[in-house]
Amino acid sequence: MSIRLSRRYALKGAGALAVTAAAGASLKSPAIAQNAPIRIGSVATLEGPFATGGQDGYRAMEMLFQAENMTIGGRRIEWIRESSNAQADVALARARKLIEQDNVDIIIGPLSGAEGIAMKDYSATLTGKTIVNGSSGAADTTLRNPSRNFFRFNTDGTQWMAGLGNYVRRTLNVSEVTVVAGDYAFPYAQVFGFSLEFCRAGGRANYLWSPLGTTDFASQIAQIPRSSGALVVVHGGTDGLAFMTQYAQAGGNLPIIGGSIMADQTMLSARGPHRRLMVGMVAAGPMADVIDDPNWTDFVARYRRMPGAFPSPSIHAVNFATNTMAVIRALKEVNGDLSGNQANFQRVLAAQKFKAPTGADVSLDHNRQAISDIFLTRIEERNNQPMTVAFQRATQINQTLGTPEAAFLALGAPSRTNTGCIAAS
């Protein structure tokens, strides 16, 4: 089944796609009839710099829904997809449409960081509805002012960098880096997580920021200090590809340390001069192409049977899958019953403990934020295909990286001016 760039469409029955008419009038009763469909909406970026990742997220969701024959607890799953473009206002408008016009019960999404914060804020205004994250990784989506109606079963951007700063400073013995990153919520979280470790270990960091959707990085590349021992690239999608292509064309040769969405098949599947710089790149994140775990082997085998699949699932496919698995598990436990303003469903959802596609154990903390494993990875050529290979795993990383929550919150919210680069006292 192909992903189309239309804004509204629904999956009815196993593999059958049909445009859905608004059915709010028939579903406005607080007590939902047990034979009525469970309406699940979703928001992913099918437009803009992360369009490929959004398509892969939907590919993973489709795979999981099909495995259930689009039915849970005797109720048919009606899946209504929406397209965003990584902009918070657009994602919020799509979420409002799903809730207010399509009368969905649950939303799974979005993909990008600022979108996630906007949808979390919106969820706090709702009663009897649930929003479960897709792949967005901004820290403050759940860390500050969490919403009782918003759940995130994927780790966030700060968690994804656990172990990388220490590895670069202490194992690779790099004393100074230049960080090039997108100027929005998700890269702030990634940079904060990396810098917190790297600077506490005695490292120095320079920072160069660019807006999402930048196409010309020439002036930024010219600003990279000669004293830098490595380049930490926290871009992704078309931004990451544009930066790495232009850096390679400019003759750049610093070792590359990757943000989590750099070490991903949405980047590695693209051909071009950037590939010579990415082989050997060390990164960190919630998954790798090569993980020695039977759960991952099974997930990848099923994923590869989906139309348009990459050689290995992208980070967005894994995150959307993890969140969708949680929703399916909770719906099964309550036998599809979403009555009582979904109070029992949300209680069961918050208590979920299961293995992610990577084989990592997943549970939620008191803010309904995932605690799970993080992998250090290295890009290797395998069968003429660049793949991320996990070489180290940090288990059960929480959102504050093991720091007491009050002390972590006192560090302030990640931003372009609050990078987490604090020297050890």
Side-chain angles (χ1 to χ4, degrees):
M1 182 185 309
S2 61
I3 301 279
R4 295 178 292 164
L5 293 180
S6 58
R7 290 182 178 174
R8 184 182 181 199
Y9 34 148
L11 190 61
K12 294 185 175 182
L17 194 66
V19 176
T20 305
S26 64
L27 294 176
K28 288 182 179 178
S29 171
I32 301 172
Q34 193 61 20
N35 61 353
I38 299 172
R39 299 172 68 93
I40 297 179
S42 56
V43 178
T45 57
L46 305 185
E47 310 155 57
F50 301 126
T52 304
Q55 292 165 6
D56 209 34
Y58 277 170
R59 187 175 291 120
M61 289 183 68
E62 181 182 334
M63 180 182 81
L64 294 174
F65 284 147
Q66 287 182 351
E68 302 298 328
N69 294 318
M70 298 303 295
T71 303
I72 297 177
R75 297 179 65 184
R76 178 169 50 86
I77 296 295
E78 188 171 280
W79 181 23
I80 306 172
R81 312 183 199 195
E82 285 292 334
S83 171
S84 180
N85 62 354
Q87 299 298 319
D89 58 339
V90 175
L92 179 57
R94 302 294 181 264
R96 285 187 179 278
K97 181 258 183 188
L98 286 168
I99 294 290
E100 297 166 15
Q101 296 181 34
D102 297 314
N103 199 29
V104 300
D105 302 298
I106 300 162
I107 293 178
I108 299 174
L111 182 143
S112 191
E115 295 179 306
I117 292 174
M119 284 179 60
K120 177 264 294 191
D121 290 341
Y122 175 54
S123 76
T125 70
L126 302 174
T127 300
K129 304 289 185 179
T130 301
I131 299 181
V132 179
N133 194 56
S135 189
S136 72
D140 280 353
T141 308
T142 52
L143 184 60
R144 291 173 174 83
N145 301 314
S147 165
R148 69 189 185 283
N149 295 326
F150 192 95
F151 300 74
R152 181 161 62 183
F153 289 87
N154 64 280
T155 42
D156 72 15
T158 303
Q159 290 170 281
W160 291 352
M161 300 299 260
L164 187 59
N166 281 329
Y167 183 83
V168 172
R169 179 67 193 97
R170 292 175 172 156
T171 302
L172 299 184
N173 198 30
V174 175
S175 60
E176 182 176 341
V177 300
T178 292
V179 177
V180 292
D183 196 2
Y184 62 102
F186 170 70
Y188 297 158
Q190 289 255 280
V191 170
F192 195 90
F194 173 83
S195 300
L196 201 61
E197 286 188 354
F198 183 73
C199 296
R200 282 177 173 174
R204 301 183 304 278
N206 315 293
Y207 300 92
L208 299 172
W209 305 93
S210 56
L212 183 64
T214 295
T215 57
D216 186 354
F217 289 93
S219 62
Q220 189 177 79
I221 290 169
Q223 295 177 59
I224 298 171
R226 294 180 180 272
S227 54
S228 300
L231 201 58
V232 181
V233 183
V234 189
H235 286 299
T238 56
D239 289 30
L241 183 59
F243 176 85
M244 289 299 296
T245 298
Q246 292 168 39
Y247 183 65
Q249 291 171 338
N253 58 8
L254 286 174
I256 304 297
I257 309 301
S260 300
I261 57 176
M262 278 288 295
D264 186 68
Q265 282 297 327
T266 55
M267 275 289 297
L268 299 180
S269 62
R271 297 194 174 275
H274 68 291
R275 291 272 287 268
R276 72 170 175 84
L277 294 174
M278 293 189 69
V279 174
M281 182 183 83
V282 174
M287 51 84 65
D289 297 325
V290 181
I291 303 172
D292 185 15
D293 188 283
N295 293 276
W296 181 242
T297 301
D298 173 70
F299 182 82
V300 172
R302 290 186 290 128
Y303 165 87
R304 286 175 176 167
R305 292 194 288 268
M306 296 297 294
F310 293 120
S312 182
S314 71
I315 194 171
H316 302 298
V318 171
N319 287 336
F320 269 89
T322 303
N323 284 289
T324 302
M325 287 168 66
V327 170
I328 290 172
R329 287 172 57 90
L331 284 172
K332 284 182 174 180
E333 284 192 38
V334 300
N335 200 32
D337 184 0
L338 296 175
S339 61
N341 283 330
Q342 300 191 12
N344 188 46
F345 168 72
Q346 290 191 355
R347 179 187 61 78
V348 170
L349 185 64
Q352 287 300 307
K353 295 182 179 181
F354 62 99
K355 287 192 179 295
T358 60
D361 291 320
V362 181
S363 61
L364 296 187
D365 66 12
H366 62 286
N367 289 333
R368 293 160 295 283
Q369 165 63 39
I371 301 170
S372 194
D373 298 353
I374 304 300
F375 300 89
L376 289 187
T377 65
R378 184 179 291 106
I379 295 178
E380 301 177 4
E381 288 276 4
R382 296 202 172 186
N383 299 320
N384 295 318
Q385 173 69 38
M387 307 286 279
T388 58
V389 180
F391 67 88
Q392 188 171 306
R393 181 196 293 236
T395 59
Q396 294 300 282
I397 301 299
N398 72 0
Q399 197 172 25
T400 63
L401 307 181
T403 301
E405 185 169 318
F408 192 84
L409 289 171
L411 297 174
S415 70
R416 71 189 327 268
T417 57
N418 185 24
T419 62
C421 190
I422 305 164
S425 56

